[in-house]
Amino acid sequence: MSAGAIRRAAVIGTGTIGAGWVSTLLARGVAVAAYDPGPDSAGRLRAAVTGHWPTMRLLGAPPRPDFGLLRVLDDPATAVRDAELVQENGPEDEALKRELIAELDAAAPPGAVIASSSSGLPPSVVQAGCTRHPERVLVGHPFHPVHLIPLVEVVGGRGTGAAFTARALAVYEWLGKRPIHVRHEVAGHVANRLQAALWREAYSLVERGIATVADIDAAIAHGPGLRWSVLGPFVNQHLSGGAGGLSHTLAHLGPPMVQWWADLGTPTLTAELGAALVDGVRAELGDRADADLAAARDRVVVRLLAAKATEEALP
Ligand SMILES: NC(=O)c1ccc[n+]([C@@H]2O[C@H](COP(=O)([O-])OP(=O)(O)OC[C@H]3O[C@@H](n4cnc5c(N)ncnc54)[C@H](O)[C@@H]3O)[C@@H](O)[C@H]2O)c1
């Protein structure tokens, strides 16, 4: 059995992200105890998992979700009682998360990893209320849609033990995820900071009237985005240097890039700019339905993941 194998998990908060974790866990045959205080949480969760399943099937899951593995419970303490992984997905509210994680810490077995899906809260903040075993509390930040996108960012806080960070990385890998270890907590972790850097310049280009929303989307989706989904920014830059690789690229194109940095914008996200972005997206999409667009995106991502899996040369 792999180092990261688990049999029982608890998923606390089963909205958009929590439901994605439940599908991921059920597809791997893990028994899930779920808790969410919202109305009809059991019905909503089953509907969400059923909705994910056509995609899960394409990813190799069994024909139907095994709802025999899923228990939806009325209180979080009971849900985490025998869990090996506790994945917390409550609202992104600092005080609520601190209190909720402390409650989970008080009830979960000492060896369980308690991971918060928080998009931006540092793990030291979410573990601050824990009095029992703060060393097993960390951030395990997934990407939407969680049942499809492999990335999980694992971030330890001041009180997190290295053994639990290693355990979380192993468990996520066993679940079929592609975890990375963020070495120091920082607002937004890594991937959202990278996205924020790109959005900052994209918003600025619209603000300055240099390109339309549709043209910027085309520039990424039909340009560097195609390469970025196969190889990351560093390896792509290495390959663009020819025989000299990254050192040639840095010597040749590094100095002009440093000049561009000085010209990059810092947009002011005013109501007017927000409205221009929204109008730009509307103009780009015309009468396409968002649900059709999301379904098409997910089908393409499934095919891309399958194609990448066949290429042994890729890292
Ligand atoms: N949506 C994204 O793209 C995304 C991506 C990665 C991470 N996240 C993070 O995941 C977490 C959940 O986000 P979401 O988008 O699923 O939000 P959501 O609003 O869809 O779900 C939140 C759920 O938490 C439940 N809840 C409320 N109080 C609770 C409590 N005390 N205990 C347990 N559950 C409670 C709500 O009923 C709701 O179902 C947030 O921390 C967010 O930052 C979101």
Side-chain angles (χ1 to χ4, degrees), residues 227 235-242 245 248-249 253:
R227 300 193 314 203
V235 174
N236 272 308
Q237 204 174 21
H238 170 68
L239 294 181
S240 67
H248 174 68
T249 313
L253 296 175

Side-chain angles (χ1 to χ4, degrees), residues 77-90:
T78 314
V80 302
R81 204 163 45 196
D82 63 359
E84 295 161 88
L85 169 70
V86 176
Q87 190 74 39
E88 177 278 320
N89 322 277

Side-chain angles (χ1 to χ4, degrees), residues 18-243:
W21 279 116
V22 171
S23 292
T24 304
L25 290 156
L26 293 181
R28 202 71 171 97
V30 178
V32 177
Y35 164 76
D36 189 301
D40 187 27
S41 58
R44 283 188 303 131
L45 177 56
R46 286 173 73 105
V49 170
T50 303
H52 296 158
W53 218 258
T55 303
M56 301 308 290
R57 283 287 291 141
L58 295 172
L59 293 170
R64 273 167 293 285
D66 182 355
F67 284 123
L69 288 172
L70 177 64
R71 288 179 303 147
V72 178
L73 297 155
D74 288 338
D75 78 293
T78 314
V80 302
R81 204 163 45 196
D82 63 359
E84 295 161 88
L85 169 70
V86 176
Q87 190 74 39
E88 177 278 320
N89 322 277
E92 187 79 350
D93 173 304
E94 188 176 318
L96 183 149
K97 282 232 198 269
R98 197 182 293 132
E99 199 174 314
L100 177 59
I101 294 277
E103 197 180 345
L104 304 179
D105 174 47
V113 170
I114 300 181
S116 171
S117 291
S118 174
S119 300
L121 294 172
S124 293
V125 167
V126 298
Q127 76 190 165
C130 297
T131 51
R132 205 164 149 248
H133 290 292
E135 70 277 6
R136 46 44 183 287
V137 176
L138 43 79
V139 162
H141 175 240
F143 255 66
H144 177 70
V146 174
H147 61 286
L148 176 58
I149 303 293
L151 178 65
V152 183
E153 297 175 303
V154 175
V155 198
R158 279 190 289 279
T160 307
F164 283 99
T165 302
R167 171 80 175 142
L169 289 163
V171 170
Y172 289 134
E173 201 166 329
W174 179 79
L175 282 171
K177 295 295 188 188
R178 178 65 173 83
I180 67 160
H181 179 200
V182 179
R183 311 295 156 126
H184 296 286
E185 54 189 341
V186 60
H189 319 312
V190 167
N192 275 339
R193 289 176 78 92
L194 292 170
Q195 294 199 110
L198 181 73
W199 277 318
R200 177 162 71 181
E201 183 57 16
Y203 294 1
S204 167
L205 290 170
V206 173
E207 188 182 48
R208 294 165 70 183
I210 291 169
T212 65
V213 164
D215 283 342
I216 292 168
D217 272 350
I220 294 297
H222 299 278
L226 289 169
R227 300 193 314 203
W228 287 341
S229 66
V230 183
L231 294 164
F234 291 118
V235 174
N236 272 308
Q237 204 174 21
H238 170 68
L239 294 181
S240 67

